[in-house]
Amino acid sequence: MSRLDAWAKASGEARYVADMVLPGMLHVALVRSAVQHGRVRRVDSEQARAVEGVVGVFTADDVNRNTYGRSVRDIPILAGEKVRFVGERVAVVVAESRRAAEAAAALVEVEYDDLPAVTSAEEAIAQGAPLVHDAPWEYAGAAISQEDGHNLQSRVTEGSLTEVEAALGGAEHVVDRTYSTSSGHQGYLEPQACVASVEDGRVRLWVTNKSPYRLRTQLADCLGLDPASIEIEPVLLGGDFGGKGSPMDAPLCVELSRLVGRPVKLVLRYVEDLTATNPRHPARIHVRVGCDREGRLTGMALRALLNGGAYGGFKPLADVNLHGIEDCAMAYRVPALFVESTIAYTNTVPRGHMRSPGAPQAIFAVESALDELAAEAGLDPVDLRRRNLPRTGEPSSHGTTWLEARGLETLEAAVKHARTEQPEVPPGWRHGEGVAVYVRGLPGPPVTSVRLVPAPEGRVRVEVPIPETGTGSHTMVRNRLAAELGIDPEQVEVVQVSTEELPIDPGVGGSRVTVGMSEALGRAAEAWRRGGGDEPVAVELRPGDSAASAPVVCYCAQVAQVAVDPVTGQVKVLEVLSSVDVGDIINPAAHQMQIDGGAVMGYGFACLEDLFEEDGQFWAANLGEFKIPSTNDLPRLRTVLVEGGQGVTSANVKPVGELANVPTAAAIANAVAAATGCRIRDLPITSEKVFWAIEEESAR
Amino acid sequence: MRDVGYLRVGDTAEALTAAARPGARLIAGGTELVNLLKERIEQPDLLVDISRLPLTDITVGPDGLHLGALARMSDVAAHPEVRSGYPAIAQALELSASPQLRNMATMGGNLMQRTRCPYFRADHDLPCNKRRPGSGCSAIDGDHRAAAIFGASESCVATHPSDLAVALVALDAQVRTTARTLPARDLHRLPGDQPHRDTVLDHGEMILGIDVPVSPPSAYLKVRERGSYEFALVSVAVAAETSGGVIRTARAALGGVAPKPWPLDVDLAGVPLRRDELRAAIAPAFAAARPLPGSEFKIELAQRAVVRALTKPIGLMGET
Ligand SMILES: Cc1cc2nc3c(=O)[nH]c(=O)nc-3n(C[C@H](O)[C@H](O)[C@H](O)COP(=O)(O)OP(=O)(O)OC[C@H]3O[C@@H](n4cnc5c(N)ncnc54)[C@H](O)[C@@H]3O)c2cc1C
Ligand code: SF4
């Protein structure tokens, strides 16, 4: 079954925000901070104003001084007295053409008084470190208080350290290791863009944002507007991976349109996307984990320290943290567990969400540590995992008893299939196999809304609140509704409508779309059938409307096969096999794409991706330098579906979007360790890290 | 990008006149120059488009291979006689850039491409003597993982990124320009205190073609971090005649280690194709290596790559 968006994308007919043109529209270019931390002494825009076509040059003095954010509201529309990272918006030029705007922006001179800066999380939380924000606890939505410590965005703890200490004290084997991961970027292809039009107090926006209803609230909160006066228009998104959830430059564009009285358009240059939007948090994760003589885990303490950058407002959760870290040990039975996740303010680009936020980092650490523990205990790594995966009926390490726990089956299927076909290893290279496991819970109860409208020729038009981000979600909606109504999918039209048309939706993210939409479409179809299909039907799922979601989880186990050239340290990932715990599958092709795409992203995180952060700046400022995998690099991808799982909603589905990208890095690191005897604890696993590790090992 | 004039020329004489103008720059496939313009690394006043000149020939004769300066990377790499007789060239090209780029990029443009040093290519102006003479070198105290281990100077430690150039040096090619014919190994220069000059060519001098003498079996090995769209950490081109597992004649050049393709000047005649003997034979060439702390790994990597290139079945197109 073809994808709804396939033809338009393949033929070039698809229109993105950057393609938008409105009558009288002006263009925006940003002047960004050249220093990590400094007081803005003077902004000289005289030369810029003289450029032909320039309509205005604006600074913080001209725009609303309120700060904004998805949770904590700590982001200024334009930096006022001080700048907090290289790349922060300091001034902005509005002109008749993009060319004039950019030429003028280059002529704006900003003078700074440098302030001492902190560019790593470790530095930031040290006693006496310079403060990124003087009183971060005062921001609306702050998740910390003054007593919590220095330069904190957030600190979350779970479990009792005392209990873990006792458990580890009595353990037969303990490993104590630190792992780290680098800064990465979502790597969507479409740059962030925004077109804003303010006319007679009415705001209309076309923006690369996947949560339009939340964006409306965020804008209203910041600009003091009535949400009803803001309309977010439907758009097609060219990739997201978590990077398109924040308001980004929307508040600024609204202010600019108000100031100049004409529509404005801002399209970032990709270098701005890479260096100045909301990339992934780099992490340092300290794990102590112990087991008894039989290899049963007795306790684990995990402490993660993440660099959150200059602002926390691009993170949507109320605790301004990353739940992937908090859920780091969910896959196993861990009698005593302590988790601490700290996100620090630094003078670097603000960090945001990226596909399964926090989990790739945390699972890399935990699943690597488990292999190290297995080695310590003289156990086979698969065996160690077998002994610690909870069975159905047993509570997980976080206390919940799930409807079913299919970790063991998922792992066994992975190992069995991986070993039936061994990949070919180049002569002289060393082969290694590595395993890693991840489990993910369900998103909260579905909240969304849809409307079914009769269309000509007996067709049904379904109006949805969410944009197509490139995952095929609109195709899923079409197929699901067709199945519910028992009609041909060709009879269903799917359209995203503006925020005027539907009441509520939390946006795309958290693997919630298929689950939420399935529930809403199920109800809508029922009402439609009852009404005979002549009248529009609207369905609205508000918080509290659906019973709390059943405690359903989905496991994913991956086996990586690598070949390592002992001469150069080069790592070839030959195969990644993903074994996935599934319920029913609505669109097999889209489902498979999530698994394959996930494994590819996991591979990139493991072996390639690094923004090369140094002194608070990224050196990999284009897609040539920031290395996401090319087709030539891809390992062979295989999938085993562990079918028959119990999902949710009448469609019996389990989410899959944020699964297969998570365990890959640990599986590869474990495979490299199996091949070489060398453990790489710092991602990405580059040739030279492996090379030096082998050298050191052989020198010993 | 700022305003720049554009002139498409119809013949070499016209090209030469136009290229001689101050502020003029030749443009062929544009895959390199347009990037340099966008980043404002180069700011010419006039682009002289030579892409329509009849310099696209690829001919193989009894005296060797002739490549016009405007022959496309993809056409050369796909040419059956290049693949069979000069595999190091075909492999070097095929392992370069990406298919789309190779369809546009030319031989002359490839040789004249500039370093990928991240500071040189940064989107904002950083100290870089190659980009702005006298401004300093950010790489020496910064990220210099990709830095040269041979031939660098105190003002610049960048490497030359062309794969093709490395193969040409190993194959003892000559470069024909509008002013002279010179060995490929003399085309690029060491930075000394003038790192902004990459080659010995004068302003307005144009490459017309490349002549490669008949070659012994050859091969190109490229070590890189990503399978496509990626420059070499270290690369090696070898052309060698062997008999009974012993080298009779061999010529090798290294890429990714120096401001220019670095000829491996050691005599390998009589050396058996075995790891230890080869290591011993090439070691003297590495005594002169002067790495920075972050690029030290290249010394070992390069030696191992040379051994690998010589011991793999030479002269076959294939996986590297
Ligand atoms: C993403 C990316 C990856 C790449 N990876 C590789 C790689 O792995 N290996 C590799 O070798 N290369 C690589 N390249 C570089 C690529 O090979 C060059 O961009 C290309 O060969 C340049 O050829 P062109 O015809 O497009 O040159 P242009 O961009 O037209 O010109 C480049 C320069 O050469 C000059 N020039 C052009 N023709 C002549 C001539 N006849 N005489 C004198 N001067 C001339 C121009 O004035 C200009 O200064 C990569 C490039 C990109 C963008
Ligand atoms: S190594 Fe050369 S190109 Fe790189 S920063 Fe230094 S001077 Fe510039």
Side-chain angles (χ1 to χ4, degrees):
Chain A
M1 227 177 309
S2 76
R3 263 189 47 179
L4 282 169
D5 50 339
W7 173 255
K9 282 179 176 170
S11 64
E13 281 164 24
R15 286 290 168 268
Y16 299 89
V17 177
D19 300 315
M20 281 282 309
V21 180
L22 293 181
M25 184 175 83
L26 297 172
H27 298 262
V28 178
L30 296 167
V31 180
R32 295 181 179 274
S33 168
V35 303
Q36 302 152 346
H37 198 191
R39 290 204 183 282
V40 180
R41 182 155 21 103
R42 205 169 66 95
V43 179
D44 180 353
S45 57
E46 208 180 297
Q47 270 185 294
R49 283 177 209 277
V51 172
E52 197 181 316
V54 169
V55 174
V57 181
F58 303 100
T59 65
D61 292 338
D62 305 301
V63 298
N64 194 314
R65 284 299 191 121
N66 290 343
T67 47
Y68 68 96
R70 301 171 80 181
S71 48
V72 57
R73 278 147 55 185
D74 60 356
I75 310 165
I77 293 176
L78 286 172
E81 291 73 39
K82 75 173 191 169
V83 289
R84 297 186 174 87
F85 70 97
V86 173
E88 178 158 16
R89 297 171 299 225
V90 182
V92 58
V93 180
V94 181
E96 297 286 348
S97 68
R98 180 176 191 175
R99 194 186 160 100
E102 288 184 344
L107 296 174
V108 175
E109 277 180 32
V110 186
E111 283 172 27
Y112 305 93
D113 290 323
D114 279 324
L115 293 169
V118 283
T119 53
S120 72
E122 288 80 2
E123 271 175 76
I125 61 169
Q127 277 302 322
L131 294 176
V132 180
H133 296 262
D134 294 336
W137 49 87
E138 284 175 2
Y139 292 116
I144 43 118
S145 65
Q146 186 163 5
E147 298 74 54
D148 287 332
H150 227 71
N151 282 329
L152 290 188
Q153 289 185 5
S154 151
R155 172 171 281 156
V156 176
T157 61
E158 191 177 321
S160 147
L161 189 56
T162 329
E163 271 174 39
V164 174
E165 296 296 357
L168 292 179
E172 185 74 20
H173 307 280
V174 177
V175 294
D176 179 332
R177 302 277 191 276
T178 301
Y179 303 87
S180 55
T181 69
S182 62
S183 285
H185 187 268
Q186 295 88 356
Y188 47 73
L189 280 184
E190 176 204 24
Q192 306 256 5
C194 181
V195 173
S197 158
V198 182
E199 216 181 325
D200 305 329
R202 283 205 56 76
V203 177
R204 294 179 75 200
L205 274 170
W206 292 258
V207 51
T208 50
N209 182 292
K210 60 175 181 168
S211 314
Y213 294 79
R214 287 191 170 165
L215 174 63
R216 186 173 57 175
T217 314
Q218 291 151 6
L219 282 167
D221 285 348
C222 168
L223 301 175
L225 300 173
D226 175 3
S229 69
I230 304 172
E231 182 173 3
I232 318 278
E233 302 287 345
V235 294
L236 174 64
L237 291 188
D240 156 36
F241 309 106
K244 303 264 177 79
S246 50
M248 203 49 64
D249 302 307
L252 173 64
C253 290
V254 172
E255 281 294 88
L256 293 175
S257 177
R258 178 182 64 78
L259 285 165
V260 299
R262 287 164 66 178
V264 300
K265 174 176 180 176
L266 170 64
V267 181
L268 296 192
R269 295 280 178 195
Y270 208 82
V271 52
E272 298 178 284
D273 280 274
L274 281 174
T275 61
T277 55
N278 55 2
R280 176 189 260 155
H281 296 66
R284 247 182 107 73
I285 301 177
H286 179 207
V287 186
R288 282 183 303 148
V289 56
C291 66
D292 64 17
R293 207 179 302 265
E294 275 75 50
R296 285 186 300 243
L297 298 178
T298 54
M300 179 187 314
L302 179 140
R303 279 200 153 111
L305 178 58
L306 301 118
N307 180 347
Y311 301 103
F314 291 135
K315 283 182 279 283
L317 302 181
D319 64 10
V320 195
N321 214 283
L322 303 173
H323 50 69
I325 306 276
E326 294 148 46
D327 296 345
C328 63
M330 206 165 89
Y332 301 102
R333 231 184 268 125
V334 188
L337 176 66
F338 174 76
V339 180
E340 178 189 87
S341 176
T342 304
I343 303 189
Y345 277 116
T346 65
N347 292 112
T348 67
V349 62
R351 311 305 158 115
H353 269 190
M354 177 163 167
R355 202 171 186 177
S356 45
Q361 297 96 317
I363 298 305
F364 165 61
V366 168
E367 290 291 315
S368 296
L370 287 184
D371 261 44
E372 300 207 55
L373 183 66
E376 193 80 27
L379 281 170
D380 172 66
V382 176
D383 226 32
L384 178 90
R385 289 177 173 79
R386 279 190 188 113
R387 293 176 194 199
N388 291 288
L389 287 165
R391 312 297 193 260
T392 297
E394 272 182 82
S396 77
S397 58
H398 292 250
T400 328
T401 305
W402 305 319
L403 220 51
E404 54 181 15
R406 308 207 310 150
L408 193 65
E409 285 160 83
T410 309
L411 175 65
E412 298 295 5
V415 173
K416 179 176 142 223
H417 283 88
R419 291 180 185 167
T420 49
E421 255 178 78
Q422 287 290 330
E424 218 177 290
V425 178
W429 292 51
R430 296 193 205 146
H431 170 246
E433 175 197 276
V435 179
V437 175
Y438 173 57
V439 72
R440 189 174 179 87
L442 273 197
V447 172
T448 187
S449 50
V450 295
R451 183 161 52 220
L452 308 188
V453 184
E457 295 166 30
R459 294 159 63 86
V460 186
R461 172 182 150 105
V462 47
E463 298 177 347
V464 297
I466 48 158
E468 171 62 76
T469 58
T471 57
S473 58
H474 284 191
T475 309
M476 179 279 298
V477 166
R478 177 191 66 179
N479 296 356
R480 187 69 214 136
L481 185 67
E484 289 279 357
L485 294 176
I487 57 176
D488 184 347
E490 296 295 321
Q491 291 294 97
V492 178
E493 275 168 41
V494 185
V495 283
Q496 184 199 355
V497 291
S498 90
T499 50
E500 302 274 271
E501 310 289 329
L502 287 167
I504 189 167
D505 187 85
V508 177
S511 304
R512 64 173 99 80
V513 170
T514 302
V515 170
M517 276 291 149
S518 298
E519 178 76 23
L521 292 169
R523 293 193 192 192
E526 207 183 299
W528 180 263
R529 277 193 304 266
R530 257 187 308 179
D534 309 324
E535 289 294 316
V537 167
V539 166
E540 191 180 329
L541 303 177
R542 296 221 159 244
D545 281 1
S546 327
S549 61
V552 163
V553 292
C554 19
Y555 268 95
C556 174
Q558 282 178 334
V559 182
Q561 310 281 348
V562 306
V564 181
D565 180 357
V567 177
T568 61
Q570 201 179 342
V571 175
K572 264 193 200 159
V573 181
L574 305 169
E575 175 177 297
V576 173
L577 180 137
S578 307
S579 167
V580 183
D581 168 14
V582 296
D584 291 342
I585 294 169
I586 299 175
N587 181 343
H591 189 266
Q592 185 65 49
M593 193 179 81
Q594 288 299 319
I595 298 170
D596 291 345
V600 170
M601 255 179 135
Y603 162 74
F605 175 60
C607 295
L608 290 171
E609 292 165 19
D610 192 347
L611 285 162
F612 286 100
E613 189 165 356
E614 195 186 297
D615 294 337
Q617 294 185 61
F618 294 148
W619 290 110
N622 58 57
L623 287 176
E625 299 285 334
F626 176 62
K627 298 183 207 310
I628 57 179
S630 72
T631 313
N632 273 0
D633 298 295
L634 296 191
R636 183 159 86 127
L637 302 174
R638 276 206 286 158
T639 303
V640 191
L641 298 177
V642 183
E643 290 173 334
Q646 222 170 334
V648 289
T649 80
S650 57
N652 187 40
V653 288
K654 289 193 179 199
V656 69
E658 297 175 283
L659 210 52
N661 59 313
V662 178
T664 325
I668 291 172
N670 290 341
V672 169
T676 61
C678 302
R679 172 62 55 180
I680 308 294
R681 299 192 186 90
D682 173 35
L683 295 183
I685 304 171
T686 59
S687 313
E688 79 225 66
K689 283 183 200 165
V690 177
F691 172 78
W692 286 120
I694 295 174
E695 288 285 288
E696 249 169 59
E697 183 66 28
S698 52
R700 268 205 271 145
Chain B
M1 229 155 109
R2 57 174 202 157
D3 286 328
V4 53
Y6 172 82
L7 179 70
R8 178 183 292 161
V9 292
D11 58 50
T12 308
E14 200 188 340
L16 271 184
T17 317
R21 305 228 290 255
R25 187 78 84 256
L26 300 175
I27 182 163
T31 62
E32 163 74 336
L33 190 56
V34 173
N35 287 337
L36 297 173
L37 298 180
K38 278 204 280 197
E39 298 293 354
R40 296 193 211 64
I41 297 167
E42 297 205 9
Q43 313 202 351
D45 301 314
L46 176 67
L47 297 181
V48 181
D49 182 352
I50 56 172
S51 64
R52 305 300 158 99
L53 300 186
L55 296 172
T56 56
D57 53 303
I58 306 172
T59 13
V60 180
D63 59 337
L65 166 69
H66 304 282
L67 300 172
L70 293 169
R72 307 272 169 204
M73 287 172 76
S74 49
D75 291 337
V76 178
H79 196 280
E81 286 174 274
V82 177
R83 294 174 81 82
S84 58
Y86 305 86
I89 292 180
Q91 291 166 5
L93 291 171
E94 224 159 39
L95 295 170
S96 295
S98 70
Q100 294 89 333
L101 287 160
R102 295 197 293 271
N103 283 338
M104 290 302 295
T106 65
M107 297 293 104
N110 185 290
L111 295 179
M112 298 300 287
Q113 67 178 296
R114 310 205 63 191
T115 185
R116 308 305 294 197
C117 172
Y119 302 98
F120 175 77
R121 301 257 169 183
D123 74 302
H124 40 290
D125 202 357
L126 292 164
C128 170
N129 290 322
K130 199 184 260 310
R131 185 161 167 177
R132 204 156 33 86
S135 61
C137 170
S138 298
I140 291 176
D141 292 320
D143 173 11
H144 51 247
R145 201 169 147 270
I149 57 175
F150 295 112
S153 73
E154 273 170 18
S155 39
C156 179
V157 295
T159 58
H160 196 267
S162 167
D163 289 300
L164 170 68
V166 178
L168 294 182
V169 169
L171 267 53
D172 205 17
Q174 302 276 319
V175 174
R176 245 179 309 115
T177 77
T178 43
R180 54 186 140 171
T181 296
L182 74 169
R185 63 184 282 169
D186 295 338
L187 175 65
H188 298 94
R189 58 183 293 286
L190 297 182
D193 55 4
Q194 291 194 314
H196 58 285
R197 292 183 51 217
D198 297 348
T199 71
V200 299
L201 300 194
D202 295 318
H203 180 74
E205 187 172 349
M206 184 170 106
I207 297 176
L208 296 171
I210 297 164
D211 303 316
V212 192
V214 174
S215 164
S218 67
Y220 189 75
L221 175 82
K222 178 169 177 177
V223 185
R224 56 181 171 176
E225 281 166 355
R226 168 160 75 174
S228 167
Y229 202 89
E230 178 75 320
F231 295 88
L233 268 181
V234 158
S235 70
V236 50
V238 293
E241 208 105 50
T242 62
S243 76
V246 176
I247 296 177
R248 287 181 45 219
T249 64
R251 203 188 325 262
L254 294 166
V257 297
K260 57 187 281 187
W262 196 252
L264 193 73
D265 284 328
V266 284
D267 186 6
L268 294 174
V271 179
L273 287 170
R274 281 194 302 267
R275 185 179 174 275
D276 293 344
E277 281 90 340
L278 286 168
R279 277 300 293 247
I282 62 172
F286 288 84
R290 294 286 172 273
L292 290 169
S295 61
E296 205 187 323
F297 72 98
K298 286 189 173 178
I299 298 180
E300 185 63 29
L301 188 62
Q303 295 182 68
R304 294 181 180 204
V306 174
V307 172
R308 167 76 50 87
L310 281 165
T311 48
K312 80 174 193 173
I314 275 194
L316 301 173
M317 287 296 295
E319 262 281 298
T320 43

